[in-house]
Amino acid sequence: EMSEMSERSKQNVAHGLAWSFYAGYLKIVLPRVKKSMEEFSRANPNLPACRKTWKLHILVPLSCDIYDDLEKADSNIQYVTELTETTLARAGIKKRVYKHSLYAITDEENQLWHCAVEYATPLQTLYAMSQDECAAFSREERLEQAKLFYRTLEEILRGSKECADTYRLIAYEEPEEAETHFLSREIVWHLRQEHHEEISVLEQSHPPSPSTALDSAELNLQISVSDLPQPLRSEGF
């Protein structure tokens, strides 16, 4: 009886998709991301290295609207190269390949930020279900399922020791009026947060002298919060 109620309300859809995404993909690739980024950094010493951004940045648009080509989604996002691939035997498939794309993100000051970024692919399933009459999946239900998918995935990853500090979930709601560079600004906001996290760690390890230390107010002035998109918080759903 409980199972039938769950089926009718579709409460198990997002939950199952989140677990499948984690167990069938993220748990496999995330522990290898830092090594791939480190190899790229060694091969490209001319590019600035921020170890806190050596993660897989996973885009979670709550609209479930996903671009297959990120460069078409936002011209400030440019493909750079493929990171070192991982090849495994998986579910009867010999030499299955897992790999990530590295992108250069241009911010409003024309500064380049490099990161591995991709969409959470199960959202394509939610979108397809909302377009298929057989699924009887409304737009409102799709939005609720996208939120549930994000919360579930966040909880799963938070409890995964092997995936710790290897990812960043970027959940967002697109503005009603189209903005040309909304996505790149959203990604850069998170990259800046990670960059400041690294600076904080370095400062704690090597406290600067009083004459050169910046207080928190000065640091905050370096980024205008009003000009940047605000990240979603799961507790707000």
Side-chain angles (χ1 to χ4, degrees):
E1 188 174 325
M2 289 295 295
S3 177
E4 289 179 1
M5 291 174 62
S6 180
E7 287 288 343
R8 285 196 298 270
S9 62
K10 303 180 180 66
Q11 292 174 355
N12 59 339
V13 175
H15 187 266
L17 287 175
W19 270 104
S20 177
F21 189 44
Y22 167 71
Y25 180 63
L26 295 181
K27 190 176 181 180
I28 298 169
V29 302
L30 287 181
R32 298 170 171 83
V33 169
K34 285 188 181 296
K35 182 180 178 182
S36 295
M37 291 295 295
E38 186 174 1
E39 291 173 354
F40 174 81
S41 183
R42 282 201 304 265
N44 298 270
N46 57 314
L47 296 178
C50 175
R51 291 180 177 272
K52 268 292 183 178
T53 64
W54 289 3
K55 304 173 180 179
L56 182 60
H57 296 78
I58 305 169
L59 302 176
V60 186
L62 297 184
S63 66
C64 299
D65 193 6
I66 289 177
Y67 286 83
D68 290 325
D69 189 341
L70 277 171
E71 293 173 306
K72 292 182 179 179
D74 190 323
S75 60
N76 279 353
I77 303 174
Q78 293 297 316
Y79 170 80
V80 177
T81 187
E82 296 294 321
L83 295 177
T84 306
E85 64 185 34
T86 298
T87 304
L88 299 171
R90 183 76 175 170
I93 302 173
K94 296 286 188 180
K95 298 181 180 180
R96 181 165 184 175
V97 175
Y98 298 88
K99 60 183 178 181
H100 309 292
S101 297
L102 187 76
Y103 289 89
I105 319 293
T106 305
D107 66 15
E108 66 276 6
E109 298 173 354
N110 288 322
Q111 178 182 351
L112 288 179
W113 300 75
H114 292 85
C115 70
V117 58
E118 60 190 53
Y119 284 103
T121 51
L123 294 180
Q124 289 182 312
T125 300
L126 287 178
Y127 188 86
M129 289 178 69
S130 69
Q131 303 297 307
D132 195 315
E133 293 182 0
C134 295
F137 212 61
S138 70
R139 183 176 180 179
E140 291 74 20
E141 287 173 321
R142 183 184 72 197
L143 176 60
E144 290 306 311
Q145 289 297 310
K147 293 176 180 179
L148 179 57
F149 171 83
Y150 170 69
R151 288 198 300 267
T152 305
L153 184 61
E154 184 181 44
E155 183 178 351
I156 294 169
L157 287 170
R158 192 185 295 125
S160 174
K161 293 181 180 179
E162 58 263 62
C163 295
D165 202 35
T166 62
Y167 68 93
R168 189 165 184 115
L169 297 180
I170 304 178
Y172 58 90
E173 290 186 279
E174 296 176 348
E176 293 183 3
E177 295 185 7
E179 295 183 22
T180 307
H181 299 303
F182 169 80
L183 185 56
S184 59
R185 289 202 309 272
E186 184 77 11
I187 296 171
V188 166
W189 190 94
H190 286 268
L191 294 174
R192 281 177 169 154
Q193 291 296 104
E194 291 168 337
H195 184 70
H196 282 286
E197 288 170 11
E198 182 175 64
I199 292 175
S200 298
V201 171
L202 291 174
E203 287 179 344
Q204 291 172 10
S205 302
H206 306 285
S209 61
S211 60
T212 60
L214 291 175
D215 61 26
S216 58
E218 289 175 303
L219 284 174
N220 288 337
L221 288 176
Q222 295 180 15
I223 296 180
S224 175
V225 176
S226 62
D227 293 337
L228 297 172
Q230 300 299 308
L232 291 173
R233 297 288 182 261
S234 59
E235 60 267 21
F237 293 152

